[in-house]
Amino acid sequence: MGPEVKLFEQEVAAYLGVKHAIAVNSGTDALVIGLRALGIGEGDEVITSPFSFFATAESISNVGATPVFADIDPNSYNIEPRAIQAKITPSTKAIMPVHLYGNPAAMAQIMDIAKAHGLKVIEDCAQSFGARYCGTCLSCNGSCQENTRTAITGKQTGTIGDVGAYSFFPSKPLGAYGDGGMVVTQDERVAEVARILRVHGAKKKYQNEMLGYNSRLDTIQAAILRVKLPHIDAWNKARRTAAKIYNELLADVSDIITPGFVDGHVFHQYTIRITDGKRDRVQQALAEQGIGTMIYYPIPQDRLPIYKGQYATNSLSDELAEQVLSLPIWPDIGLELQELVVQALRSALV
Ligand SMILES: *Cc1c(COP(=O)(O)O)cnc(C)c1O
């Protein structure tokens, strides 16, 4: 919590266009502290996407609330607004959309639902630093864009709901050299509680007033992140260029569904769908040629052993878990390597 932490908080707040940024020890802590600061706990239900990393649902369970899973839109891989609507009960207190792979969730519709039902919105931005919500509907790959512009068009993910939670884990878009996270909010009171929770629930040292956490961000991580922050837009732009190139190179490959290329998507991951049950075989074939790919995520959260038997089927999320494959992507991957990956993919698919 040295001077760089405060400076980094100020710089992130300015970059995102948000009043308060509170640095914490991880993205998971940012979610937990964000939920606690919003007053969510025992007896509350939080609606979220089944198709995410377990930290999303884990944070909800860890504050004593119940995760409720609403199925995804197969085109965006993100939570589907009508599915949220169907899961609302008198116990619902919040919605936790995840901007998966760096693709902003359908925030305009989600905020409308939240407003109509008096719900809080906490955005899981672990994969979306620098992504702006552009109101594009992925179901039509952007062709309806002009019709969906709203007041929140162009806003940074994390600044639209009540709280945004970021991760600076090394693999994330803005990565430290160890763990780190950030809670952002426009709300003075939420920010104050988050600051107190970060250091054992004490506003004044040794005068602890609530059960908090040890969740300081290390000064060394803040110092590193301050060097990287000014580059994030250029890196995200380069990722978008690489994603566009992949989409073009893969356009004529059958049994593959490429991700929609929409404004705002920062392509933390470039994730294709391989249909006809060939995914695992293709991954193996690529691995044999030294091409690393990943499956985010092989088991949807509602199917994890910890929640065994507790949830009904979310069929789209289940289907995608069998099909998704994330290809190598980083800002300066370059055309040559991308062609190599696509060539390997072509031969693996025959
Ligand atoms: C990485 C990640 C988290 C957790 O962040 P950590 O900094 O690793 O704790 C939460 N949600 C999603 C979607 C993530 O990808």
Side-chain angles (χ1 to χ4, degrees), residues 31-285:
L31 290 169
V32 167
I33 290 172
L35 285 165
R36 288 276 314 276
L38 289 172
I40 288 152
E42 208 74 47
D44 298 335
E45 292 177 359
V46 179
I47 301 176
T48 193
S49 169
F51 202 58
S52 181
F53 178 57
F54 179 51
T56 307
E58 186 186 33
S59 67
I60 299 167
S61 291
N62 260 336
V63 303
T66 303
V68 172
F69 300 102
D71 212 352
I72 55 171
D73 167 0
N75 295 300
S76 71
Y77 311 86
N78 280 326
I79 195 163
E80 210 281 314
R82 276 160 305 186
I84 296 175
Q85 195 91 46
K87 294 287 172 91
I88 293 174
T89 75
S91 300
T92 307
K93 285 288 150 53
I95 306 169
M96 186 185 279
V98 182
H99 307 298
L100 198 73
Y101 308 147
N103 181 31
M107 290 307 293
Q109 294 87 335
I110 290 170
M111 294 311 291
D112 283 348
I113 294 170
K115 205 170 168 192
H117 296 268
L119 308 176
K120 301 289 184 193
V121 174
I122 169 167
E123 301 174 61
D124 183 339
C125 304
Q127 304 186 6
S128 71
F129 197 100
R132 289 174 181 278
Y133 176 74
C134 290
T136 309
C137 153
L138 265 170
S139 302
C140 64
N141 274 348
S143 58
C144 72
Q145 194 172 351
E146 288 312 308
N147 302 326
T148 56
R149 290 186 69 86
T150 71
I152 60 169
T153 301
K155 275 191 145 191
Q156 287 278 349
T157 54
T159 70
I160 301 164
D162 298 277
V163 163
Y166 288 92
S167 166
F168 305 123
F169 183 73
S171 73
K172 304 295 163 99
L174 182 63
Y177 289 0
D179 281 303
M182 189 79 84
V183 177
V184 305
T185 183
Q186 303 282 17
D187 188 314
E188 178 89 50
R189 174 73 195 141
V190 170
E192 193 190 355
V193 178
R195 277 193 200 97
I196 295 171
L197 287 170
R198 167 172 66 179
V199 284
H200 303 284
K203 195 170 179 179
K204 281 205 189 113
K205 210 170 183 185
Y206 305 128
Q207 297 196 22
N208 311 70
E209 50 194 278
M210 53 180 99
L211 289 176
Y213 309 89
N214 171 354
S215 192
R216 291 175 287 255
L217 179 68
D218 285 337
T219 307
I220 184 80
Q221 304 303 348
I224 289 160
L225 289 162
R226 288 190 68 212
V227 175
K228 296 178 88 173
L229 179 62
H231 300 281
I232 190 70
D233 283 345
W235 289 336
N236 282 341
K237 194 169 169 223
R239 283 174 178 278
R240 283 176 57 79
T241 303
K244 192 163 199 185
I245 289 169
Y246 265 139
N247 272 6
E248 284 160 11
L249 294 174
L250 291 167
D252 65 339
V253 182
S254 49
D255 298 330
I256 277 184
I257 300 169
T258 56
F261 187 82
V262 294
D263 285 352
H265 196 331
V266 295
F267 290 95
H268 167 57
Q269 299 296 342
Y270 179 84
T271 305
I272 59 170
R273 289 167 63 186
I274 301 179
T275 50
D276 287 355
K278 293 178 180 162
R279 195 264 315 270
D280 292 353
R281 190 162 59 73
V282 168
Q283 184 180 37
Q284 182 62 30

